[in-house]
Amino acid sequence: MTVLQGIFLVVGVVTLGAAVMVVTARNLIHAALWLILTLFGVAVMYGLLSAPFFTVIQVVIYIGAIAILMIFAVMLTRRVKQEAGSSVNQGWWMAGLMSLVLFTALVWMFSTWDGFQTTLPDLPEGLDTIKILGTALVSPNGYVIPFEIASVLLLAALIGAVAVAWEKKS
Amino acid sequence: MISLSYFLVFAAALFCIGLYGVLARKNAIAILMGIELMLNAVVVNLIAFWRFRTPELIAGQAFAVIVFAVAAAEVAVGLALFIAIYRRRNTIAADEIDLLKW
C-alpha cells in the first residue's frame, strides 16, 4: 500500500463517518459541525486529485460561507418543540433501503465499465492547471458564457434571497 | 497504486448518504445539508474524471467551478425561504409545510 492510498483510506473513512453523523445527529448544530468536518475531508480529496484550487475554494466557499450560513439559519429557526420527537419521518427505512440499493447499483455499474481501474496518470510536464482554468473561464473560446451565466445566477440569488426574507413592516 | 475506482466508490457512498438525509430528515435545514453532501459527491466525481481521464483538458474543472456557484446560490435562496416560512408558520419541519397540499 502506498502513502497516497493510506491517506485516501484514512480521509475517506473519516469523511464518510462524519457524513453519516450529519444525517443522523439529532441536534442540528452538531449536524452542521459534522458537515464542516465532511467538507474538510472532501477538500483533502481535491488535494489528492492535484486540484489545489478546489481545496482552497472548498474551504472558503463551503466551510467559510455555506456551513456558517447553515449554522445561522439553525439558530434563527430554533424552537423547543423541535428537540422532542423523532428527527426522521416514518418512511426513513425506505429512504435507507433506497440509498443502499442506489449505492449497490452504482458500484455494480462502475465495476462493469472497463475504465474503472484507470491508474493515476502523470500530469503533463509544466502544466499550470490554475492558470489554464483562469484563462479558460474568461476566454471566448473557453467557458466565458457559462461563467457569465453563473455570475448572473449569483446576482439573481442575492436579490431573490433578500426579497424572500424581507420583513414587511405593516 | 491509487485508481479511479477509489474516488468513484467514495463519491457514490457520499452521494447515497446525502440522499438518505434528503429523504429521511424532517427538518428542512437538515434536508439542505443532505443536498450539500450530494453536490460535493458530484464535484468529487467531476474532478476525479478530469484527473484520471483528461488531465490535459480543463473542461472538468470548469464544470466543477459552475457547480460551486450554483450550490452557493441554492443555499442562499433555500435558507432565505426557510427563514421566511419560519416567520409566518413558526415551523420548518418539512411535513408541516403543506400549504400547497390537498
Side-chain angles (χ1 to χ4, degrees):
Chain A
M1 190 195 279
T2 61
V3 182
L4 213 58
Q5 276 174 319
I7 298 174
F8 178 89
L9 285 179
V10 171
V11 175
V13 167
V14 169
T15 310
L16 291 180
V20 170
M21 290 306 293
V22 171
V23 296
T24 52
R26 298 182 52 80
N27 188 326
L28 272 182
I29 294 283
H30 293 173
L33 294 177
W34 285 112
L35 181 70
I36 291 179
L37 184 60
T38 314
L39 297 174
F40 259 119
V42 174
V44 175
M45 290 294 172
Y46 297 149
L48 287 180
L49 285 164
S50 43
F53 176 67
F54 283 87
T55 307
V56 174
I57 60 172
Q58 173 88 359
V59 172
V60 172
I61 297 182
Y62 265 100
I63 299 171
I66 293 182
I68 302 301
L69 205 61
M70 293 266 184
I71 292 178
F72 270 130
V74 172
M75 288 174 170
L76 282 173
T77 57
R78 214 129 189 230
R79 62 165 193 189
V80 187
K81 201 179 135 200
Q82 214 173 305
E83 305 294 308
S86 171
S87 63
V88 290
N89 52 36
Q90 289 118 20
W92 67 271
W93 59 273
M94 274 196 282
L97 192 70
M98 204 175 143
S99 303
L100 270 179
V101 168
L102 180 68
F103 178 71
T104 323
L106 279 175
V107 171
W108 174 78
M109 205 184 77
F110 286 145
S111 63
T112 59
W113 174 53
D114 29 312
F116 191 48
Q117 292 298 341
T118 315
T119 49
L120 201 64
D122 289 325
L123 279 180
E125 200 62 41
L127 188 76
D128 187 353
T129 51
I130 298 177
K131 193 176 172 187
I132 298 175
L133 177 66
T135 317
L137 280 179
V138 291
S139 116
N141 301 322
Y143 303 95
V144 70
I145 292 180
F147 183 72
E148 292 299 332
I149 291 175
S151 53
V152 173
L153 175 75
L154 279 175
L155 180 67
L158 182 75
I159 298 170
V162 172
V164 167
W166 193 270
E167 196 168 13
K168 287 181 192 65
K169 300 239 164 44
S170 54
Chain B
M1 195 65 190
I2 204 159
S3 71
L4 181 54
S5 56
Y6 285 58
F7 289 97
L8 290 186
V9 172
F10 168 76
L14 195 59
F15 187 88
C16 293
I17 293 171
L19 180 69
Y20 171 77
V22 170
L23 292 177
R25 293 295 290 247
K26 264 186 188 168
N27 190 298
I29 294 176
I31 292 176
L32 216 54
M33 287 181 193
I35 296 178
E36 289 312 310
L37 292 182
M38 292 166 83
L39 282 171
N40 257 282
V42 171
V43 178
V44 169
N45 257 1
L46 285 172
I47 309 252
F49 278 123
W50 162 78
R51 181 68 183 85
F52 282 89
R53 307 290 293 182
T54 56
E56 68 284 351
L57 301 175
I58 209 68
Q61 287 209 14
F63 199 163
V65 168
I66 307 295
V67 174
F68 266 89
V70 173
E74 167 252 322
V75 164
V77 176
L79 291 179
L81 277 174
F82 297 151
I83 289 173
I85 290 171
Y86 179 76
R87 201 179 283 140
R88 295 177 71 92
R89 315 252 304 166
N90 215 25
T91 178
I92 49 163
D95 50 353
E96 291 173 33
I97 306 168
D98 50 3
L99 274 174
L100 287 179
K101 206 156 129 190
W102 281 60

